[in-house]
Amino acid sequence: MKLNRDMNILIVGLGLLGGSYAMSLTRQGYHVKAITRSHASVEYAIDEGLVEYATNEVEAQLVGEADIVVFALYPHVFKEWVAEYQKYFKSGAVITDVTGVKSCIVYDIQSMLRDDVEFIAAHPMAGREKSGVQNCDDSIFKGANYVVVLTDKNTQGAIELCKSIGEVLGFARISELSPEEHDKIIAFVSQLTHCIAIALMTCQTTPHLEEYTGDSFRDLTRIARLNDDMWSELFLLNKDALISEMELFEGELDKLKTLLIEGDREGLREMMRYSTARRAVFDKPKD
């Protein structure tokens, strides 16, 4: 099953990612409507032509006509929404998400969900340091990664549909992980990097530091500008995996510190050479 333009798509939550999904899909001729809490976000989405229709009310008919529902909500709100409003889903509807943690969500949603509706989880590995639909930008998907998160409850049809959403949005690489694999990897490649950026911005209190920094510091700390409400929830929901990755990082930092203390230049160069070689494969693919 592939995404097609006859399908009705509903996005619940018009923040940065929800808005960027809407922008991309609408531009490509898909039928997109939305539900979001903020009246200002509703007005912005309509005025900018991101959706055909938007509301800040949960309308039974709107939910019931959707073939695909994309949830772009905080994890706890996502679960509460499904518990309260799944009665409105069309039989045969497929729901998906953009949530940054999975183990604490996927199984709960699948266990509570009606048998005639399927949840296939996804994580678009794209974003920016600014939040809100006013900052949406579908170019963030270009060259980025998209992860489909599977369980044994997922059908091949829903998996193919979820992958086709990633393809239509323009993601460069689409992969599959289990919820547990996802959370371990995300703890390292996303959550730990945010922890490092936060710590860099809070460990030094030199005044007017912005007057002395170069691009390396700005690049490394770009993601320190974050939504504290969302990221604190994500950190705590995945804290065991995140703490494990923090300890791994601390070990490497201690190793680097020891090499400095001992004046071991060759050891430093060896770490740097390995780092340089490893980093090269992370660049986004070019056109």
Side-chain angles (χ1 to χ4, degrees):
M1 180 165 54
K2 296 283 188 179
L3 185 66
N4 67 70
R5 290 179 177 81
D6 293 327
M7 293 176 171
N8 292 313
I9 303 169
L10 176 65
I11 297 176
V12 182
L14 280 179
L16 172 67
L17 280 176
S20 298
Y21 266 54
M23 175 185 286
S24 178
L25 294 169
T26 296
R27 283 178 173 176
Q28 296 182 69
Y30 291 90
H31 301 292
V32 183
K33 298 179 181 179
I35 297 172
T36 198
R37 183 174 58 183
S38 166
H39 183 67
S41 295
V42 168
E43 290 186 338
Y44 182 87
I46 293 173
D47 290 346
E48 295 297 316
L50 302 179
V51 293
E52 293 179 358
Y53 174 79
T55 177
N56 55 7
E57 302 289 338
V58 179
E59 300 174 2
Q61 182 176 343
L62 178 61
V63 178
E65 68 185 12
D67 300 294
I68 301 165
V69 185
V70 179
F71 285 92
L73 302 173
Y74 287 12
H76 75 281
V77 178
F78 179 22
K79 290 196 284 189
E80 291 168 0
W81 202 103
V82 172
E84 185 169 358
Y85 299 116
Q86 66 166 306
K87 59 189 175 185
Y88 299 140
F89 289 142
K90 172 193 289 189
S91 180
V94 174
I95 70 173
T96 187
D97 71 329
V98 303
T99 316
V101 289
K102 297 303 182 189
S103 298
C104 59
I105 292 176
V106 173
Y107 300 114
D108 288 348
I109 296 288
Q110 289 183 336
S111 66
M112 76 169 74
L113 198 59
R114 289 165 26 197
D115 291 340
D116 59 341
V117 178
E118 184 170 350
F119 173 42
I120 174 72
H123 189 177
M125 297 297 296
R128 60 198 320 182
E129 61 272 19
K130 297 179 181 179
S131 60
V133 68
Q134 294 83 0
N135 294 298
C136 69
D137 179 2
D138 59 352
S139 70
I140 62 176
F141 305 138
K142 185 177 181 180
N145 296 323
Y146 178 88
V147 183
V148 179
V149 183
L150 314 175
T151 75
D152 57 9
K153 288 191 174 183
N154 288 126
T155 64
Q156 192 59 39
I159 294 169
E160 291 175 0
L161 176 61
C162 191
K163 286 183 175 181
S164 74
I165 293 173
E167 291 168 359
V168 167
L169 291 172
F171 285 90
R173 289 177 290 238
I174 298 173
S175 57
E176 299 179 5
L177 292 172
S178 71
E180 293 79 12
E181 290 170 331
H182 169 275
D183 288 355
K184 178 173 175 55
I185 289 173
I186 291 305
F188 179 65
V189 301
S190 177
Q191 294 177 343
L192 176 62
T193 58
H194 283 79
C195 288
I196 294 168
I198 293 166
L200 277 171
M201 292 308 306
T202 59
C203 74
Q204 244 285 6
T205 58
T206 300
H208 310 298
L209 195 62
E210 69 279 4
E211 297 177 10
Y212 320 126
T213 55
D215 288 344
S216 59
F217 187 82
R218 283 189 289 269
D219 290 345
L220 196 57
T221 57
R222 176 185 59 81
I223 56 174
R225 296 178 59 187
L226 38 64
N227 179 337
D228 58 281
D229 191 23
M230 179 184 75
W231 280 98
S232 60
E233 180 172 350
L234 295 176
F235 281 6
L236 289 169
L237 287 172
N238 201 32
K239 68 178 183 179
D240 290 343
L242 179 53
I243 289 170
S244 176
E245 298 304 326
M246 291 173 79
E247 290 171 347
L248 182 68
F249 177 76
E250 289 167 352
E252 288 299 294
L253 195 60
D254 283 342
K255 178 180 176 182
L256 195 59
K257 181 180 176 181
T258 298
L259 292 172
L260 284 168
I261 291 171
E262 295 176 351
D264 186 349
R265 184 176 182 186
E266 185 52 39
L268 289 170
R269 293 187 65 190
E270 184 178 348
M271 281 191 76
M272 291 173 182
R273 287 193 292 266
Y274 180 70
S275 169
T276 299
R278 188 105 194 270
R279 178 59 180 82
V281 303
F282 283 79
D283 291 333
K284 289 183 178 181
K286 297 179 180 180
D287 293 335

